[in-house]
Amino acid sequence: MKAIVVTDEAAGTAGMTLAERPEPEATGNDVLVEVHASGFTPGELTWPGTWTDRLGGDRTPSIPGHEVAGVVTALGYGTRGLSVGQRVFGLAEWTRDGTLAEFVAVEARNLAPLPGDVDFTVGASLPISGLTAWQGLFVHGRFEVGQSVLVHGAAGGVGSMVTQLAKEAGAYVIGTGRAADRQTALDFGAQEFVDLDNDILEDVGGVDLVFDVIGGDISRRSAGLVRAGGMLVTIAGPPEAQPAEGLAVDFVVEADRAQLGEIVQRVRDGRLRTNIGNVATLDDAVAAFNPTERIKGKTIIRVRP
């Protein structure tokens, strides 16, 4: 099968190549998915699981990409809950070959049914951004109706999902980003916008929940904005500062079939929009992940027409 492979961690996305790889097999509790669309997060090229297996052994050349939408073509021994021919979407494991390929083997529990009225391209854009937003708000952030939420990177893949989910759940949402992102963040539902290059973040005042995707100085300063009993939630690594009277937590997104179902239902209802910036073929994937200009939104690889 055709697949994108990486062998050199230092090379980043520039080290991606299109190659022929053996088609994977569905082992116990797996399904084999014919990939129709795949999502990719450039940051995964810095994750240990991209380069080594669970025992720390080298597993290059590895196939990146963890978001998938496609059709089940085979079931591994003991697999339940899904069937051959079913449309699915979800997350491939971090330490196994991923979804930038014509086929991928995935644990069945990491996938959810993809309704027939949701395009594969949309399905592949949802798992990481959607689950990260859902878990950061409702699981780790313990969001309650009426709270104020400061969303960093509100026009990005994760931030736009956080903004929409928080707004729908009854939050007052303040988005941040570059000046050029203002209108996009407001369109996704932010009631205020802070230009991190030109505005003063501290002018926001106190908030109940900060959702941080940036880290560093922005995360440290944000900790000082959290009200008593509030939360700083980050996906940018262990927080360097704790709110004086609140909590800080970092987390790594996990696959969850029920949460995927909640997310895709909101897409079907028109309550949640994805943030897709570019769609390319597998043959053009290397160029798509090494653009010559900034692409707003997520790049999705359409593996099959």
Side-chain angles (χ1 to χ4, degrees):
M1 67 174 185
K2 290 195 296 186
I4 299 297
V5 300
V6 291
T7 59
D8 181 0
E9 183 173 357
T13 55
M16 290 178 155
T17 57
L18 183 65
E20 287 289 331
R21 296 293 294 157
E23 186 176 309
E25 296 182 356
T27 57
N29 301 314
D30 281 353
V31 296
L32 184 66
V33 178
E34 178 186 71
V35 180
H36 283 246
S38 169
F40 167 75
T41 301
E44 72 183 64
L45 296 184
T46 67
W47 301 346
T50 300
W51 309 101
T52 59
D53 60 26
R54 292 177 179 176
L55 299 178
D58 177 42
R59 68 178 194 87
T60 59
S62 61
I63 301 171
H66 295 287
E67 295 173 290
V68 66
V71 176
V72 175
T73 59
L75 305 179
Y77 178 78
T79 299
R80 298 178 180 178
L82 297 174
S83 58
V84 172
Q86 188 169 13
R87 300 171 93 250
V88 293
F89 76 118
L91 280 179
E93 293 81 33
W94 311 126
T95 56
R96 297 174 65 180
D97 278 344
T99 63
L100 288 174
E102 292 180 306
F103 292 90
V104 64
V106 186
E107 279 195 60
R109 64 178 180 172
N110 293 341
L111 300 170
L114 181 67
D117 57 356
V118 178
D119 186 79
F120 287 116
T121 301
V122 173
S125 73
L126 293 173
I128 287 182
S129 297
L131 288 173
T132 299
W134 186 280
Q135 291 166 17
L137 279 173
F138 304 126
V139 179
H140 303 288
R142 306 172 191 172
F143 173 79
E144 297 179 2
V145 176
Q147 289 186 330
S148 55
V149 180
L150 177 65
V151 183
H152 289 306
V158 173
S160 61
M161 291 282 185
V162 177
T163 297
Q164 294 175 86
L165 289 173
K167 178 73 176 299
E168 187 205 21
Y172 183 85
V173 181
I174 305 164
T176 80
R178 299 178 180 180
D181 296 330
R182 179 183 299 273
Q183 192 57 51
T184 301
L186 295 175
D187 289 344
F188 276 117
Q191 284 122 311
E192 292 183 36
F193 183 82
V194 178
D195 173 359
L196 292 176
D197 292 327
N198 299 297
D199 297 333
I200 299 172
L201 177 61
E202 286 72 16
D203 286 350
V204 166
V207 296
D208 299 300
L209 174 61
V210 174
F211 199 117
D212 171 44
V213 301
I214 300 173
D217 181 60
I218 292 297
S219 180
R220 286 192 295 272
R221 292 165 62 191
S222 297
L225 302 177
V226 176
R227 293 178 177 140
M231 295 284 295
L232 167 64
V233 177
T234 180
I235 58 171
E240 299 178 23
Q242 295 278 337
E245 298 181 74
L247 297 174
V249 61
D250 68 298
F251 74 99
V252 175
V253 64
E254 297 180 350
D256 188 292
R257 181 178 291 173
Q259 292 171 9
L260 286 169
E262 292 279 2
I263 292 162
V264 79
Q265 185 58 49
R266 283 163 171 75
V267 172
R268 298 179 76 197
D269 293 344
R271 293 178 287 161
L272 189 64
R273 290 186 291 127
T274 59
N275 191 6
I276 298 172
N278 184 30
V279 180
T281 66
L282 190 60
D283 288 341
D284 295 330
V286 174
F289 292 130
N290 292 278
T292 56
E293 58 186 34
R294 186 188 180 208
I295 303 294
K296 291 185 178 181
K298 189 176 186 69
T299 295
I300 298 296
I301 302 305
R302 187 78 188 206
V303 178
R304 286 175 171 80

